[in-house]
Amino acid sequence: MWQRPVPFGRDARQTRPMAAARDVVTVSGADARRYLHSQVSQDVQSLDSGESRWTFVLAPNGKVDALARIRCIDDERFELDTDPGFGDALAARLLRFKIRVAVDVAQATAVVGDDLVGWWGTTAPVSEDPADRVAAGWPAMGSEIVPGDTIPAETGITSVAVNFTKGCYPGQELVERMDSRGAAAPRSLRILDVGAGAAAGDDIVDPASGDVVGTLTTVAGQRALGYVRRGSAVGEPVGPPSSS
């Protein structure tokens, strides 16, 4: 049985520099912590200085506006980094509900280091190589996460991007309802083996039935990520790397 390769950075022998250019949104002010806690899916109230966590920023209907990593600089300053090209939209979303709070929101592009939380909450730095991301089974903005279309449950990363015991935030109802009912999403993100010439947007075909069961989203060599409809066993569901 094929086993998922260890994502880059899990092996101490791998020493390639991992600093990456990301869109960074800074939220600062006396109400920064309280405001962000009310706007994102992650627990911000317990975030210590220097600590970082993955979080969704959702629309009121529960669809994903952004996947970001939130880092506490100090009690009145936080940075959210997201995939390049999506910082402006993230900043606009955070400004949308800024009413009578002492908060400033600014967006820039910056190189982030390897001291932030990695994919799946590990300490391994995030790689810019698509092959590493595919091997890790981690979704990216624009390919696996389409703003206004994707729901958190289908990405497979709610275990590290959602706190299910925090207070209310926009989009919480859909997330909590699916979790409390144990409801499976209509489709789920999978790691797949693909042939030469495969490309994002291609159909995923069940080799046993010949039925189209999904769509490829990212292709890197003979590995790919793609969404597969509920009820199909094609592919390997994404998930945290094995500790073994």
Side-chain angles (χ1 to χ4, degrees):
M1 178 182 296
W2 172 72
Q3 295 184 344
R4 183 178 312 160
V6 176
F8 184 89
R10 296 287 289 179
D11 191 327
R13 294 170 298 177
Q14 297 170 311
T15 58
R16 175 153 46 103
M18 302 306 295
R22 304 269 289 172
D23 283 3
V24 179
V25 175
T26 301
V27 179
S28 59
D31 295 330
R33 184 184 294 273
R34 178 172 62 87
Y35 179 65
L36 281 171
H37 188 76
S38 73
Q39 293 301 308
V40 305
S41 63
Q42 190 54 266
D43 178 11
V44 182
Q45 293 286 18
S46 64
L47 202 61
D48 293 329
S49 294
E51 187 181 4
S52 57
R53 296 171 184 168
W54 292 100
T55 188
F56 289 115
V57 183
L58 305 178
N61 64 1
K63 302 292 181 68
V64 179
D65 280 333
L67 170 66
R69 194 167 35 181
I70 182 169
R71 181 182 193 178
C72 176
I73 305 302
D74 57 46
D75 199 47
E76 296 187 1
R77 183 181 177 89
F78 295 80
E79 292 179 349
L80 293 89
D81 69 277
T82 190
D83 292 316
F86 293 91
D88 285 340
L90 174 57
R93 162 60 183 80
L94 291 173
L95 285 166
R96 190 177 309 160
F97 300 108
K98 190 178 85 70
I99 303 172
R100 294 190 296 275
V101 290
V103 166
D104 292 317
V105 177
Q107 190 269 324
T109 299
V111 174
V112 298
D114 59 6
D115 58 338
L116 299 171
V117 65
W119 295 321
W120 298 109
T122 69
T123 57
V126 167
S127 169
E128 291 188 277
D129 187 341
D132 292 332
R133 186 173 64 78
V134 168
W138 189 262
M141 294 291 297
S143 51
E144 289 71 43
I145 298 177
V146 179
D149 180 69
T150 307
I151 63 174
E154 61 194 14
T155 67
I157 65 169
T158 56
S159 63
V160 293
V162 175
N163 182 288
F164 290 98
T165 61
K166 62 167 287 182
C168 297
Y169 57 91
Q172 180 193 34
E173 183 179 358
L174 175 64
V175 176
E176 293 289 344
R177 184 169 67 245
M178 293 189 69
D179 180 67
S180 64
R181 296 178 179 177
R187 60 178 189 166
S188 61
L189 191 60
R190 313 277 178 93
I191 303 174
L192 305 116
D193 295 315
V194 294
D202 287 356
D203 289 339
I204 299 171
V205 178
D206 185 333
S209 67
D211 294 337
V212 174
V213 295
T215 305
L216 296 178
T217 54
T218 299
V219 177
Q222 293 184 308
R223 295 281 185 263
L225 292 177
Y227 280 109
V228 176
R229 73 187 185 197
R230 181 173 53 206
S232 172
V234 174
E236 178 80 8
V238 301
S242 173
S243 60
S244 60

